[in-house]
Amino acid sequence: MIPRIDGYDAYVNYVKQFVTSHEAKAMFYRHIRHIVGRTNSITGKPYRLSPAIMAWQIANEPRAFSKAALPEFCEFLINSARIIKSIDPNHLVSTGSEGLVGFELNIDWWKMVHASEHIDYANIHIWPCTWRWVTRENVFSAVDVACEKSLRYIEDHHKAISPYGKPLVLEEFGYHRDAFSFTPGSATTARDQYYQFILSTLTSTRMLAGCNFWAWSGDARPAHLWWQEWDDFCGDPAQEEQGLYSIFSNDASTLGIIKQAIKQLR
């Protein structure tokens, strides 16, 4: 199922079968063993001994897509982490979860998974526009709302994971360009305000151990609204408008905010 073609609901109904399928999960576990147990063909060293790897992540934004399937979903994540650790005890393991949104709005299940001894640090993602905290019509006027809800999201997850002494990483966050523009060089006033808020939360509080903005596009430039073969690769995935969340090399104000945060971290 392809969301843009078949519809999002049809896509969800299809993929939610994964965590209840023993065959599908068995295939995934075999894939883990194949990748994590692999030997680098260039260095001759197994991945478990590689200093180039910081961490293994189970998936990008895994979801159950069903409240009824949450127990099996959580068991799947913990089993996956256990298998990774059994092959490679030398590297960190994380889930790749969005947090509350990735656990059908139930933070207790998120907390239970990240409390596992096989998972080293907790993840969250924050997408104010995708989650409809902000709409295309109020990208600029609703920045304060986005900041307020983002802070609450961070606080709730920090409170949940703190008893286990594990770091919390905001590994994805992003904000649209002003007026929902996709054009490189167009205004980023709202984005800059939101980035300033998130990065100041990182540098001035102890709630986050790190964060990663989405996404760096550098000198790439979108040739079409939707990616086509031979177009530059921007930070935006092919199923989304190109330039939607991209930070280009000429976005001077946004880059200035990021550089200042890096100096403060140092």
Side-chain angles (χ1 to χ4, degrees):
M1 293 290 178
I2 301 174
R4 279 184 58 202
I5 297 174
D6 303 297
Y8 188 71
D9 289 341
Y11 166 76
V12 167
N13 286 331
Y14 179 75
V15 298
K16 73 180 182 182
Q17 299 175 87
F18 175 80
V19 294
T20 58
S21 168
H22 297 298
E23 183 180 3
K25 288 182 287 189
M27 291 172 67
F28 189 87
Y29 297 148
R30 287 199 298 272
H31 182 65
I32 289 177
R33 293 185 177 96
H34 172 70
I35 295 296
V36 180
R38 187 176 183 274
T39 295
N40 187 313
S41 61
I42 305 301
T43 65
K45 290 184 178 181
Y47 282 170
R48 61 184 172 80
L49 298 179
S50 173
I53 296 172
M54 172 188 151
W56 296 105
Q57 190 159 93
I58 296 168
N60 175 56
E61 299 185 346
R63 288 191 184 188
F65 290 112
S66 163
K67 290 182 179 180
L70 275 172
E72 289 176 281
F73 173 65
C74 295
E75 181 183 28
F76 158 72
L77 291 175
I78 293 172
N79 279 341
S80 296
R82 178 183 54 78
I83 293 170
I84 294 171
K85 282 291 189 182
S86 70
I87 301 169
D88 180 0
N90 302 320
H91 292 98
L92 300 170
V93 173
S94 65
T95 62
S97 172
E98 300 153 277
L100 180 69
V101 170
F103 280 76
E104 305 300 318
L105 303 182
N106 189 318
I107 202 168
D108 290 332
W109 286 106
W110 177 88
K111 179 171 68 173
M112 186 271 285
V113 167
H114 291 85
S116 168
E117 62 179 327
H118 308 298
I119 294 172
D120 297 298
Y121 63 97
N123 311 124
I124 56 171
H125 298 181
I126 301 180
W127 291 104
C129 303
T130 304
W131 296 349
R132 305 195 185 284
W133 296 350
V134 175
T135 66
R136 290 175 181 244
E137 291 72 34
N138 67 357
V139 166
F140 187 79
S141 62
V143 176
D144 290 341
V145 173
C147 292
E148 178 185 341
K149 290 190 175 184
S150 296
L151 180 59
R152 192 179 312 133
Y153 201 79
I154 293 169
E155 289 174 339
D156 288 347
H157 289 84
H158 176 259
K159 181 179 179 181
I161 201 63
S162 288
Y164 305 98
K166 295 185 179 183
L168 176 65
V169 174
L170 172 55
E171 61 177 14
E172 281 187 29
F173 73 90
Y175 205 87
H176 295 160
R177 308 178 80 86
D178 291 359
F180 217 79
S181 173
F182 308 109
T183 308
S186 59
T188 58
T189 308
R191 172 184 291 177
D192 290 350
Q193 186 177 335
Y194 185 72
Y195 270 51
Q196 183 71 61
F197 176 80
I198 292 295
L199 293 172
S200 66
T201 301
L202 170 67
T203 57
S204 64
T205 75
R206 294 183 178 273
M207 291 190 291
L208 295 174
C211 71
N212 184 46
F213 63 85
W214 189 275
W216 173 243
S217 293
D219 293 328
R221 295 293 182 267
H224 305 92
L225 182 59
W226 303 101
W227 187 86
Q228 297 181 23
E229 191 174 8
W230 305 116
D231 286 356
D232 285 349
F233 284 115
C234 299
D236 305 290
Q239 76 271 16
E240 293 181 355
E241 298 97 325
Q242 300 301 285
L244 182 68
Y245 289 108
S246 293
I247 297 177
F248 300 105
S249 55
N250 63 345
D251 286 330
S253 59
T254 309
L255 292 176
I257 291 169
I258 294 168
K259 289 177 181 178
Q260 183 60 35
I262 292 170
K263 287 181 181 178
Q264 290 178 323
L265 287 174
R266 287 176 176 168

